[in-house]
Amino acid sequence: MEVLNTIKQNRQQLIDGYINCIPNPFNGMKKYFSGIFPGALVCVTAETSVGKTSLAKYLYVFSVADYILSLNNPSDLDYTCYWFGLEESVEEFDISVIQYALAKYYNVNKTQDELLSRIKELDDNTIKLIESTKVQDYFNLVKKFVLFDDHTSNPTGIYKQCRNLSYKRGKHINKTIETKDGPIDVYSHYEPNNPNEIVAVVIDNVNILEAEKNDLGIALDLSGSIDRMVNSYARKQMTKHWNWHVCCVQQQQMAAGDLNHFKAGRLEPEPQKLGDNIKVARSYQVILGLFSPYKHKLNNYYGYQVSSSDKTDGLEDCFRSIHMCKNRFGRTGVAEPIFFNPKGFSFESLPKPNESLAISNFINKKNNILNE
């Protein structure tokens, strides 16, 4: 039984100290979706301006860097993140790394406008902090495992870039099969140079993929381009054959937050509300939805005070919830409340709403972030 050998091999690898999975940074979600592991196809989804890119960046870049720093021997993890920034430049990505490091090490929260002195000149102290060893080392660590591509924007182009990388990291094996017309060579599998590598591809986001033509020369619309990216390339090739991990960031439909959905109590992200192509929800193995109750002016959500009033102080725009909209590896339908730092691109699991002292600490943190 070949699969039994795989089960035994993975178990022994873990016993021997190898890393089979980069753990999910969220306490509640970890038991249902373990994290970044080979062969998974994941979707991160939310309405516009809620934090899809921020969440993907935290899951696949910042939390991974933090995890690497926690290892006794960081070289034990062979991780590469190939990030296709369809709506973000290299400079914007690099600034976000600095923002995260400033918040992580010095509790300094700066917007991109502030760091680039667009209205007011940046203070000398922040410049010194950016030049500090901690921030510089963190920046270099991230740039060491992230390959950032801000010029490839069509499905086939993205696939070709990934295939070029795969040849540098391993080899593709064909096999011969017998047919009625005689033997033919067909694709068999991919063999990485390091069998313990974890390669994650992030496409941010598929809603702005550049349209292309299909194999017959017929122009594809956006829905067809998303289908080709997710099904033909990400699922059938990269995750299934190469055993790579792929995350597609996909926006929810623009009407998902309208009055009808509000009346029906369906404001949270759902697979059937994926924008521009809902059918690809069938192919995603995991769909993580990010929700902002504050955006919809909800005062209370799952027992948490969201909006502020004269009598109470809420978490406001720093409150988010992550929803397991689909999960082929565990339980579906669970949600976890989290604290979001919009200036530092970080997320933290929140304590229970009745833990007043702990919640008060997060509200103070929110005030420091938003009022800084």
Side-chain angles (χ1 to χ4, degrees):
M1 188 187 300
E2 187 174 342
V3 69
L4 179 58
N5 292 333
T6 302
I7 291 172
K8 289 181 176 180
Q9 181 181 355
N10 279 19
R11 176 180 180 272
Q12 191 59 48
Q13 283 184 176
L14 199 61
I15 293 173
D16 293 340
Y18 291 100
I19 297 170
N20 292 332
C21 172
I22 301 170
N24 190 322
F26 300 114
N27 299 330
M29 287 289 173
K30 189 184 300 182
K31 60 180 115 175
Y32 309 116
F33 174 52
S34 54
I36 305 173
F37 54 86
L41 178 56
V42 177
C43 173
V44 169
T45 185
E47 294 176 7
T48 184
S49 300
V50 169
K52 299 181 299 296
T53 297
S54 298
L55 178 58
K57 202 174 290 184
Y58 180 70
L59 288 171
Y60 292 93
V61 179
F62 299 138
S63 72
V64 178
D66 294 343
Y67 175 66
I68 292 173
L69 292 173
S70 72
L71 297 173
N72 293 327
N73 187 5
S75 62
D76 287 342
L77 178 61
D78 182 5
Y79 174 71
T80 296
C81 176
Y82 203 167
W83 189 288
F84 290 90
L86 277 68
E87 60 179 8
E88 186 178 31
S89 68
V90 174
E91 181 182 83
E92 289 172 317
F93 179 86
D94 288 351
I95 290 173
S96 72
V97 179
I98 293 173
Q99 288 175 275
Y100 184 88
L102 285 173
K104 173 182 173 66
Y105 289 114
Y106 301 109
N107 198 28
V108 171
N109 301 285
K110 298 292 183 182
T111 65
Q112 186 181 116
D113 281 349
E114 291 170 325
L115 288 178
L116 292 178
S117 301
R118 285 175 176 153
I119 296 178
K120 181 181 177 181
E121 67 180 53
L122 184 65
D123 60 281
D124 291 335
N125 184 58
T126 302
I127 294 289
K128 291 178 181 178
L129 294 180
I130 295 173
E131 293 173 339
S132 68
T133 301
K134 287 183 177 179
V135 172
Q136 291 294 311
D137 286 350
Y138 194 87
F139 182 87
N140 292 333
L141 171 62
V142 168
K143 298 294 280 188
K144 184 178 179 180
F145 67 76
V146 173
L147 300 174
F148 193 90
D149 184 323
D150 66 349
H151 59 272
T152 308
S153 57
N154 65 306
T156 301
I158 291 173
Y159 173 71
K160 286 182 177 179
Q161 294 284 33
C162 291
R163 192 170 177 89
N164 289 339
L165 178 64
S166 72
Y167 278 115
K168 295 178 182 178
R169 302 184 62 90
K171 56 185 178 181
H172 295 270
I173 310 297
N174 289 334
K175 63 181 178 181
T176 302
I177 62 172
E178 293 293 335
T179 69
K180 62 180 182 179
D181 298 320
I184 59 171
D185 285 341
V186 297
Y187 187 85
S188 175
H189 63 282
Y190 173 71
E191 287 185 1
N193 297 331
N194 179 5
N196 297 310
E197 73 169 8
I198 298 178
V199 178
V201 175
V202 180
I203 305 164
D204 179 33
N205 65 57
V206 297
N207 300 91
I208 54 175
L209 282 167
E210 183 180 339
E212 62 182 26
K213 296 180 179 180
N214 64 15
D215 295 337
L216 298 177
I218 301 173
L220 297 170
D221 59 9
L222 179 56
S223 176
S225 296
I226 294 174
D227 183 80
R228 170 175 272 198
M229 185 71 258
V230 175
N231 289 316
S232 299
Y233 295 143
R235 184 69 197 115
K236 295 179 181 178
Q237 296 297 327
M238 296 156 67
T239 59
K240 184 178 178 181
H241 286 151
W242 307 357
N243 212 26
W244 283 13
H245 183 113
V246 178
C247 171
C248 295
V249 179
Q250 186 168 352
Q251 186 169 298
Q252 291 275 283
Q253 296 171 8
M254 295 298 288
D258 63 14
L259 182 60
N260 291 330
H261 284 90
F262 181 83
K263 289 180 178 179
R266 292 177 53 196
L267 292 172
E268 291 91 347
E270 297 177 345
Q272 58 269 33
K273 293 192 290 189
L274 288 176
D276 298 310
N277 188 323
I278 64 172
K279 293 182 179 180
V280 291
R282 303 167 183 167
S283 299
Y284 292 131
Q285 295 168 301
V286 173
I287 300 178
L288 295 174
L290 187 67
F291 179 62
S292 171
Y294 185 73
K295 180 178 180 179
H296 294 281
K297 298 180 172 58
L298 299 181
N299 295 323
N300 192 282
Y301 188 75
Y302 280 94
Y304 292 89
Q305 185 67 34
V306 178
S307 299
S308 297
S309 66
D310 294 337
K311 297 182 179 179
T312 58
D313 199 358
L315 290 163
E316 299 180 347
D317 199 30
C318 287
F319 183 90
R320 295 289 189 275
S321 57
I322 295 183
H323 299 256
M324 188 67 73
C325 302
K326 179 182 178 181
N327 186 12
R328 290 187 181 172
F329 305 109
R331 187 177 168 188
T332 298
V334 294
E336 180 173 3
I338 53 176
F339 183 88
F340 171 49
N341 180 349
K343 294 182 180 179
F345 295 92
S346 63
F347 295 80
E348 296 178 67
S349 297
L350 279 168
K352 294 180 180 179
N354 59 0
E355 297 178 19
S356 56
L357 180 59
I359 292 294
S360 178
N361 290 334
F362 275 100
I363 289 178
N364 290 335
K365 186 174 182 179
K366 176 265 301 185
N367 290 330
N368 291 334
I369 292 170
L370 299 184
N371 299 326
E372 187 174 333

